[in-house]
Amino acid sequence: MVGFEDLRRPGGYAVRVLAVAACYYGAARLGLLRRLVVEGSVVTPIWPPTGVAVAALLIFGLGCWPGITLGALFAILYLAPPSLDLLGFLFGNTVAPVCAVLLLRRARFRTDVSRLRDGLALVFLGALTAMLISATIGVSLLLITDKLPARSFWAVWLAWWVGDAMGVLIVAPLLLMLHRARWPPPMARWKEATALAVVVCFVVPLAAYSTISLLYLVYPVIICAALRFELVGSMLCALLTSVLATVAATDGVGAFAGLTPIEVMAKLQAFNGTMALTALLLSAVITEQRNTRRSVENACQELVEVLEHLTAGEPPPPRPPSEPDDRPWPKA
């Protein structure tokens, strides 16, 4: 991994921009592997580049926005030849994540998502509000250029908006978590993590591919992952669940068999949205409560030490400087 000090040297900015562009384009290619046709328009249930863009702007700063534009340019050219509406699509794909980060900064968002307010800000400001911009600009351009009939505007707009928002909800927290992680991760709870992974790999495919609608079975697993492993466990489960549900939906099998394209999109997006919200907000609440408990325990311990020294007629010991634990890997 390239250190931030190296990125501040001459040429570091160009490397950072190119890295963001490459990640954006790679995420776009992954998102385009699975598509749905809504009212004659091809949409992606999850658009990972929006999560990559928001995470990159939060990590590297707003100055890396040209990387988002460059990555969006290559993604659009991969789909279709250049046209007059290219600049409009580039503008929408760039300004939406920039506005998301500005709104998150306004809300004093913390990239460790260790508070409930951080989870709420990421959901309602970074995902649902900011992604209105890209969806509105993109679908309006399709309508203006006669690539989309007026009667299909709202269906395509809703699919576009939810796909962009899902990219932020699922991808951005994972990238922020990986950025703050200390490697290698602690292996003290590897047995429990392995057992949870086995359960997830059994329950999630069963829920997604069963002809009986069993999608609700994933919620106890996600809740257990959030309780035991906080953001790490819940978002990894959410990512796997979302990917498998999207594959099942685009193949028209399992819980999505026999549905029309509109019904498939509605069912998939409703499931992915509620599942991602549950994982993100629940893990944020659990992390906040555990951090509060640790703070109270540390304060009580310090108070006991001070009282012991005062009772013995000694001055209280100096307080050591606190070191924030920014690791996303939860303690036992």
Side-chain angles (χ1 to χ4, degrees):
M1 180 180 292
V2 180
F4 285 101
E5 293 297 330
D6 296 332
L7 293 177
R8 295 192 184 100
R9 296 175 181 174
Y13 175 74
V15 173
R16 186 163 63 241
V17 168
L18 292 177
V20 172
C23 292
Y24 189 101
Y25 178 70
R29 292 294 300 270
L30 289 175
L32 292 171
L33 292 177
R34 291 291 170 171
R35 316 180 196 180
L36 288 174
V37 179
V38 177
E39 296 293 333
S41 298
V42 178
V43 296
T44 55
I46 304 174
W47 187 236
T50 55
V52 172
V54 171
L57 292 173
L58 287 171
I59 295 172
F60 297 119
L62 292 175
C64 71
W65 68 264
I68 298 173
T69 305
L70 186 61
L73 174 62
F74 287 114
I76 295 172
L77 293 179
Y78 171 76
L79 290 173
S83 58
L84 294 177
D85 54 3
L86 176 61
L87 293 179
F89 286 117
L90 292 178
F91 176 77
N93 289 336
T94 303
V95 75
V98 169
C99 289
V101 172
L102 292 176
L103 290 172
L104 291 175
R105 286 185 176 181
R106 181 84 174 177
R108 298 180 180 179
F109 174 78
R110 293 181 183 175
T111 56
D112 57 358
V113 198
S114 60
R115 304 172 301 174
L116 176 60
R117 62 178 294 177
D118 298 327
L120 293 173
L122 186 61
V123 171
F124 292 102
L125 298 180
L128 299 183
T129 299
M131 295 305 117
L132 291 171
I133 300 173
S134 57
T136 302
I137 293 176
V139 181
S140 297
L141 287 172
L142 293 177
L143 185 64
I144 293 172
T145 56
D146 295 327
K147 296 179 180 179
L148 180 71
R151 60 180 176 80
S152 304
F153 178 88
W154 289 112
V156 177
W157 178 88
L158 182 61
W160 191 314
W161 173 55
V162 176
D164 284 1
M166 286 302 304
V168 176
L169 290 180
I170 293 180
V171 177
L174 285 175
L175 294 179
L176 294 174
M177 174 193 69
L178 292 175
H179 166 65
R180 300 179 63 87
R182 295 181 181 176
W183 298 95
M187 300 301 294
R189 301 169 62 189
W190 65 270
K191 293 183 179 179
E192 184 180 3
T194 302
L196 179 62
V198 171
V199 172
V200 170
C201 292
F202 172 77
V203 173
V204 173
L206 175 65
Y209 285 92
S210 175
T211 54
I212 306 174
S213 186
L214 298 177
L215 292 176
Y216 56 85
L217 288 180
V218 303
Y219 288 99
V221 178
I222 290 177
I223 292 172
C224 179
L227 288 172
R228 299 305 301 159
F229 295 95
E230 300 175 17
L231 187 65
V232 181
S234 64
M235 294 313 300
L236 286 176
C237 288
L239 176 63
L240 176 61
T241 302
S242 180
V243 169
L244 290 182
T246 301
V247 172
T250 53
D251 290 340
V253 297
F256 304 93
L259 302 179
T260 65
I262 295 293
E263 292 172 341
V264 169
M265 176 61 73
K267 186 173 184 178
L268 176 63
Q269 300 295 44
F271 170 71
N272 281 341
T274 54
M275 180 265 305
L277 286 174
T278 301
L280 181 61
L281 296 183
L282 179 61
S283 61
V285 170
I286 293 172
T287 302
E288 183 176 32
Q289 290 181 344
R290 289 181 176 175
N291 289 340
T292 302
R293 185 189 65 187
R294 293 190 190 106
S295 298
V296 172
E297 291 175 351
N298 292 335
C300 291
Q301 183 63 31
E302 292 176 1
L303 181 59
V304 169
E305 294 177 357
V306 170
L307 290 177
E308 290 177 351
H309 282 77
L310 292 177
T311 302
E314 302 174 356
R319 294 184 57 187
S322 59
E323 296 181 359
D325 184 9
D326 58 356
R327 292 173 296 176
W329 313 108
K331 298 180 180 179

